[in-house]
Amino acid sequence: MAFSYNLNTEKAISFDDFINDINGIIKPNNDQSLIDCVESLQMLSNNRSFLSEYLHRGLEEFATFQEDNRYNCDIFIMHKHPLYLIRCVLWNGQPEEVQRQKKQEDIYHTLRAHDHNFSFLTVGYLNNGYETDIWEYDNDRVIGYIGEKVDLKYLERTNLQQGKAMLYRASKDIHAQHPPMEQSVSLNIMYNDPGMINQEQYYFDVKNGIIDSHVSAAGSGRHLILELAKIYGDSRSIDLVEQIATKHKYPHIRIKAYDTLGHITNEKQSIWTSLVNDPDRVVSGYARQFLNQA
């Protein structure tokens, strides 16, 4: 499950000291190393001035501020290291009367639950933070097609108040966040791992326990070009798409390529029939699913 850590220190450290602390701790794709950063991250959250100092420097360097930030407008990249990123996330608040109405509604209709293809450690920095409902699932038992039934285990509703830290595990924890009542800020540490783009992220229909759709994220352009190939692909495209389908090392890319190949050649049935015994369980599982629905 997602792990929570209440604030247990009054000590505050500077951002530079924080970076020095975690540089000797974080290991590639090692969740225990993120857990070992909890105290340092909480001590940073006790520093009530470092964020304003960072933003003032940003205003002084406005022309180049966040120029390499590929995230949305609510996320700052505060530090980039070969192994990790430090991010600052702004959460816009909603009035209390709106929150009260939402809490009276069925949460299944008001939330869009999702997982992440990376683990990250986060801490509340400003105000009471968002509330979040948390589920967990076994990604190793999931093929990844839209509408697939998934065994979801509901864990808790909690919030990310100032000083509280939480660890979300890659492709295991699912969460759906309620906007906070007042504008809030969180800080987090996540791995700087280019390989994470090869693991799918999902939106879940938690009421019906199914995969609702795929999350658009870094690397999604490879899906888009294969989708466009369904429309504009011709005889010149067949060999290129087939190479991707047979040789790519990630199963979801292979599935997308085979799907595109079926559209171009109009041989979907024979293609998926040939893949029911594919050595990759995700590809073979998808093939069986396609044939069962055909």
Side-chain angles (χ1 to χ4, degrees):
M1 61 180 293
F3 298 97
S4 296
Y5 305 89
N6 292 321
L7 183 64
N8 59 7
T9 178
E10 296 181 357
K11 184 178 179 180
I13 57 175
S14 70
F15 190 72
D16 288 343
D17 286 342
F18 167 69
I19 295 300
N20 288 335
D21 281 354
I22 67 174
N23 277 347
I25 296 175
I26 294 182
K27 299 178 177 62
N29 297 313
N30 182 316
D31 286 359
Q32 182 58 51
S33 72
L34 288 179
I35 293 172
D36 292 341
C37 294
V38 166
E39 186 174 13
S40 293
L41 186 59
Q42 289 180 323
M43 288 192 292
L44 179 65
S45 75
N46 287 337
N47 184 330
R48 309 315 300 160
S49 64
F50 92 93
L51 187 55
S52 62
E53 293 167 1
Y54 168 80
L55 293 176
H56 278 99
R57 289 196 300 272
L59 291 173
E60 292 171 353
E61 303 167 358
F62 188 75
T64 58
F65 183 66
Q66 297 290 302
E67 61 183 355
D68 61 346
N69 185 352
R70 60 183 174 87
Y71 294 97
N72 64 43
C73 60
D74 296 328
I75 298 177
F76 294 135
I77 303 297
M78 302 190 69
H79 182 76
K80 183 179 288 188
H81 182 277
L83 294 180
Y84 65 87
L85 303 175
I86 306 300
R87 307 189 308 177
C88 172
V89 185
L90 176 66
W91 302 92
N92 290 314
Q94 286 186 345
E96 185 174 359
E97 59 271 19
V98 175
Q99 292 282 18
R100 188 162 50 247
Q101 178 183 353
K102 281 181 177 281
K103 288 181 179 179
Q104 292 172 351
E105 296 172 359
D106 183 348
I107 65 168
Y108 299 121
H109 293 137
T110 60
L111 304 178
R112 197 164 195 200
H114 59 281
D115 68 349
H116 292 273
N117 57 7
F118 54 89
S119 295
F120 67 98
L121 179 69
T122 187
V123 70
Y125 183 74
L126 179 68
N127 294 327
N128 286 326
Y130 59 77
E131 280 192 327
T132 182
D133 286 278
I134 303 175
W135 297 257
E136 68 178 3
Y137 79 112
D138 185 352
N139 184 268
D140 290 335
R141 300 179 64 183
V142 168
I143 296 171
Y145 59 86
I146 295 172
E148 179 179 2
K149 193 74 176 176
V150 180
D151 183 17
L152 304 179
K153 180 182 179 183
Y154 183 75
L155 300 178
E156 63 174 336
R157 174 178 289 190
T158 187
N159 75 305
L160 191 68
Q161 65 197 31
Q162 183 177 321
K164 179 180 179 179
M166 294 185 69
L167 174 76
Y168 290 96
R169 302 167 300 169
S171 302
K172 292 182 180 178
D173 293 317
I174 300 167
H175 64 161
Q177 292 144 316
H178 303 267
M181 290 187 184
E182 54 188 341
Q183 196 169 59
S184 299
V185 173
S186 62
L187 309 171
N188 58 53
I189 310 172
M190 61 170 286
Y191 298 118
N192 186 13
D193 177 18
M196 72 184 184
I197 67 174
N198 299 303
Q199 173 65 39
E200 294 293 324
Q201 298 180 98
Y202 305 113
Y203 286 116
F204 296 85
D205 175 345
V206 292
K207 181 176 183 179
N208 295 303
I210 60 174
I211 293 176
D212 183 58
S213 61
H214 292 168
V215 177
S216 178
S220 297
R222 295 171 304 176
H223 287 254
L224 177 60
I225 194 170
L226 289 169
E227 193 66 29
L228 287 174
K230 292 181 184 179
I231 303 170
Y232 298 107
D234 53 29
S235 58
R236 297 172 300 172
S237 312
I238 292 175
D239 286 346
L240 297 173
V241 175
E242 188 171 21
Q243 286 183 43
I244 297 170
T246 57
K247 296 181 179 179
H248 203 281
K249 61 181 178 178
Y250 294 107
H252 291 97
I253 299 298
R254 292 183 59 211
I255 288 170
K256 190 69 178 178
Y258 276 123
D259 182 47
T260 298
L261 192 63
H263 275 78
I264 297 174
T265 63
N266 200 28
E267 296 179 359
K268 295 180 184 179
Q269 190 79 14
S270 62
I271 286 174
W272 291 113
T273 298
S274 71
L275 293 167
V276 293
N277 293 316
D278 190 274
D280 190 289
R281 66 163 189 86
V282 174
V283 176
S284 61
Y286 189 92
R288 287 190 290 272
Q289 170 68 17
F290 175 86
L291 295 171
N292 288 338
Q293 294 180 344

